[in-house]
């Protein structure tokens, strides 16, 4: 029994060591990723259901790891936040997305809204709106072609300063979307103070509502809440015709999901935009 006990301890500590080593390796390669320019953006279409056209694209960050391949954001953004590099990476995301959108416009492709996610640390920067204004200026993208996506929990961290930033964005004519609605602690009282344009229903609700009646009820309630606040509804993660039909019948305006297209590299996105133009 004694030997077994010791064996347990040994495997426990070596597992801990392995975790520490993995984290340190990850930390190191994440810092290098920034220096080595291993980050790329993919773009996913957002469709307008009335016209059937693409009306926006969401920029989604990818890390092209030399050995591991493409690392999804859920695997590295939390660590990047912890390391304090997200404001820098996020600023690169904004600039790259705005520049890309401007290039597509210059190439005569249809005008689309470029939708960009902000990290928590980025959102709390005191000079955030100035930074965004500067990037718009630099890239020459009209502010009304940019949409910023923030989550409920990001807003709720500091409601007063969130209201101030969001109002400043609105004054600049930048569009605002509340992301993953329904997953955080939302306060409906606060919601009406924010000058939002769109409300995005998180993909977890969309995935499950065809199976669970409660989720169907939530989706319907969120659509009606959004409409009563004058917001457009974007459903995320639409994968099936059944989901599409239900959302369409219940007044959802815009959709995003693998049913239409997964996030694509810029070059492939450009191909889609060219087809869109011919419609
Ligand atoms: P999100 O903002 O909710 O983005 C939507 C996520 O849903 C994306 O995951 C997208 O690839 C995925 N998705 C879209 N359609 C479907 C579908 O039909 N089925 C399924 N299963 N998934 C679908 P992704 O790209 O892995 O991003 C995950 C999260 O990472 C994002 O969630 C966002 O919170 C964050 N993120 C991504 N890019 C950035 C960025 O540039 N900055 C910041 N701060 N966060 C980002
Ligand atoms: Ca988003
Ligand atoms: Ca989302």
């Amino acid at each position: 029994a004694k030997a077994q006990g010791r064996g347990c301890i040994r495997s426990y500590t070596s597992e801990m060591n392995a975790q520490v080593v993995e984290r340190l390796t990850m930390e190191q390669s994440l810092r290098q990723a920034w220096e080595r320019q291993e980050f790329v953006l993919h773009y996913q279409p957002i469709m307008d259901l009335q016209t059937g056209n693409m009306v926006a694209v969401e920029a989604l960050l990818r890390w092209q790891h030399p050995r591991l391949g493409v690392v999804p954001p859920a695997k590295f953004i939390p660590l990047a936040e912890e390391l304090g590099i997200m404001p820098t990476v996020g600023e690169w995301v904004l600039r790259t997305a705005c520049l890309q959108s401007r290039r597509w416009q210059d190439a005569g492709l249809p005008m689309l809204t470029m939708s960009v996610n902000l990290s928590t640390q980025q959102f709390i920067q005191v000079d955030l709106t100035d930074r965004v204004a500067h990037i718009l200026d630099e890239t020459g993208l009209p502010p009304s072609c940019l949409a910023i996506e923030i989550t409920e929990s990001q807003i709720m961290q500091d409601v007063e300063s969130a209201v101030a930033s969001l109002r400043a964005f609105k004054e600049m004519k930048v569009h605002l979307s509340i992301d993953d609605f329904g997953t955080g602690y939302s306060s409906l009282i606060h919601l009406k103070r924010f000058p939002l344009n769109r409300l995005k229903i998180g993909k977890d609700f969309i995935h499950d509502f065809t199976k669970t009646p409660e989720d169907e009820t939530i989706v319907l309630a969120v659509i009606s809440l959004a409409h009563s606040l004058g917001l457009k509804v974007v459903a995320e993660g639409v994968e099936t015709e059944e989901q599409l039909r239900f959302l369409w019948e219940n007044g959802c305006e815009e959709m995003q999901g693998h049913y239409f297209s997964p996030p694509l590299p810029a070059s492939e996105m450009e191909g889609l935009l060219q087809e869109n133009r011919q419609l």
Side-chain angles (χ1 to χ4, degrees), residues 110-214:
M111 280 264 253
L112 293 175
T113 301
M114 177 59 76
S115 211
V116 178
N117 297 284
L118 290 191
S119 79
T120 301
Q121 284 183 5
Q122 220 179 341
F123 188 58
I124 60 177
Q125 286 177 308
V126 283
D127 56 350
L128 173 70
T129 48
D130 292 341
R131 285 169 183 271
V132 172
H134 180 68
I135 288 172
L136 287 167
D137 225 43
E138 232 178 37
T139 56
L141 187 73
S144 59
C145 292
L146 175 66
I148 280 173
E149 300 195 6
I150 28 144
T151 63
E152 284 170 80
S153 42
Q154 286 174 337
I155 290 182
M156 293 308 157
Q157 283 203 334
D158 181 349
V159 174
E160 291 316 312
S161 66
V163 170
S165 304
L166 297 185
R167 289 201 176 139
F169 280 131
K170 176 165 186 164
E171 223 146 89
M172 286 161 61
K173 307 242 175 340
V174 169
H175 285 222
L176 295 165
S177 303
I178 187 154
D179 207 355
D180 298 333
F181 188 79
T183 55
Y185 284 106
S186 57
S187 165
L188 300 183
I189 295 169
H190 288 135
L191 199 58
K192 68 169 196 240
R193 294 178 60 202
F194 304 132
L196 303 165
N197 304 90
R198 288 181 178 76
L199 186 154
K200 299 186 82 171
I201 306 181
K203 60 177 185 290
D204 294 341
F205 291 108
I206 305 301
H207 283 170
D208 296 338
F209 78 73
T210 41
K211 286 171 237 131
T212 32
E214 301 83 56

Side-chain angles (χ1 to χ4, degrees), residues 44 58 61-62 73 77 117 119 179-180 236 239 258 263:
Q44 187 177 36
E58 180 174 1
L61 184 60
R62 301 287 180 262
I77 288 184
N117 297 284
S119 79
D179 207 355
D180 298 333
E236 272 184 351
E239 291 182 351
H258 294 169

